[in-house]
């Protein structure tokens, strides 16, 4: 009630915590027709899961997964596909090859088509490791509540700021839905920084507050970089 005195209050609850229904949705593909957005969105989704291996191996597979997932999400956005299509492409790369490459030919950034081609043409063992790294970041698609929260269009951060609104993001220590919470948090933060750069002094007025309780567990965003 206190927040509602300032502006509209929204709930994003892909885990269904407390039986509360999400009042907003966030499609991870929104904006991914832009190559830079696809790259940051893929990084956010994968930040919430652990890559296989140890030490340098872990970072190697994580970086490969980021490149491939970014290319696939970029292809899906360009071709009007969905996150379920992205999941199907990861599950069966051979079958997806023609469609993915056709969509990526529409991209303003040729490197994405090269990244996809390299992934599709690599040996089975390497490709399997990349796919196994990506799959947990898409596990929320098997949860009806989470999948419903990830439909529709993108979330309008500019409207949120203009209306002095609030978004309550409800999460649990749940690896399955953490990628969605992380992706929306990253989207709001990056959009707010982009909008701030157009304002006098490069700052929002009033400022945006991010109160991220248990961030390391619920939405492991790069707080060290943001601060």
């Amino acid at each position: 009630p206190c927040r509602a005195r300032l502006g509209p209050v929204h709930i994003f609850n892909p885990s269904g915590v407390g039986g509360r229904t999400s009042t907003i949705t966030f499609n991870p593909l929104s904006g991914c027709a832009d190559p830079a957005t696809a790259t940051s969105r893929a990084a956010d989704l994968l930040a919430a899961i652990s890559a296989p291996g140890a030490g340098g191996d872990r970072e190697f597979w994580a970086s490969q997964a980021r490149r491939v997932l970014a290319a696939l999400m970029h292809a899906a956005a360009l071709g009007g596909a969905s996150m379920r299509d992205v999941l199907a492409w990861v599950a069966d790369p051979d079958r997806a090859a023609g469609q993915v490459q056709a969509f990526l030919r529409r991209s303003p950034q040729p490197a994405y088509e090269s990244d996809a081609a390299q992934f599709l043409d690599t040996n089975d063992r390497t490709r399997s490791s990349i796919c196994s790294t990506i799959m947990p970041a898409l596990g929320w698609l098997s949860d009806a509540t989470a999948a419903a929260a990830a439909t529709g269009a993108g979330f309008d951060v500019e409207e949120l700021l203009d209306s002095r609104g609030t978004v309550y993001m409800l999460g649990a220590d749940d690896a399955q839905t953490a990628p969605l919470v992380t992706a929306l948090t990253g989207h709001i933060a990056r959009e707010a920084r982009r909008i701030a750069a157009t304002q006098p002094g490069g700052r929002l007025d009033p400022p945006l507050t991010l109160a991220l309780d248990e961030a390391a567990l619920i939405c492991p965003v790069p707080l060290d970089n943001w601060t």
Side-chain angles (χ1 to χ4, degrees):
C2 293
R3 299 300 306 175
R5 295 173 190 167
L6 293 176
V9 174
H10 310 286
I11 296 173
F12 185 68
N13 187 17
S15 296
V17 175
R20 291 186 175 272
T21 303
S22 293
T23 61
I24 60 170
T25 59
F26 175 65
N27 185 345
L29 287 177
S30 61
C32 285
D34 172 52
T37 300
T39 296
S40 60
R41 192 69 46 72
D44 287 340
L45 287 169
L46 287 163
I49 57 101
S50 296
D57 285 347
R58 179 181 291 113
E59 179 50 37
F60 172 78
W61 292 120
S63 65
Q64 292 297 309
R66 284 192 294 269
R67 289 176 56 217
V68 171
L69 183 57
L72 296 181
M73 292 179 70
H74 186 44
L78 291 171
S82 68
M83 285 302 296
R84 290 194 183 279
D85 292 312
V86 174
L87 177 62
W89 295 342
V90 175
D92 192 349
D94 288 328
R95 187 175 182 181
Q99 188 176 40
V100 169
Q101 291 176 313
F103 289 159
L104 286 175
R105 291 189 191 104
R106 307 173 188 176
S107 174
Q109 178 51 264
Y112 282 77
E113 186 177 356
S114 300
D115 284 346
Q118 184 180 17
F119 163 67
L120 294 166
D121 294 339
T122 193
N123 63 77
D124 289 342
R125 183 175 179 180
T126 298
R127 193 165 61 179
S128 176
S129 295
I130 294 172
C131 290
S132 66
T133 305
I134 295 175
M135 277 296 196
L138 305 180
W140 51 269
L141 282 162
S142 64
D143 183 300
T145 301
T151 58
F155 180 69
D156 191 336
V157 177
E158 188 166 6
E159 182 181 348
L160 174 73
L161 297 173
D162 288 344
S163 64
R164 301 191 68 179
T166 302
V167 178
Y168 284 100
M169 289 184 285
L170 308 184
D173 186 4
D174 180 358
Q176 191 167 25
T177 58
L180 276 182
V181 178
T182 305
L184 178 56
T185 304
H187 171 64
I188 292 173
R190 289 189 177 90
E191 276 294 287
R193 290 171 68 178
R194 180 189 65 79
I195 294 167
T198 68
Q199 303 300 310
R203 294 181 179 274
L204 296 173
D205 185 14
L208 169 69
T209 297
L210 297 173
L212 304 177
D213 184 41
E214 298 290 356
L217 293 176
I218 308 304
C219 64
V221 292
L223 291 174
D224 54 333
N225 292 331
W226 289 3
T227 52

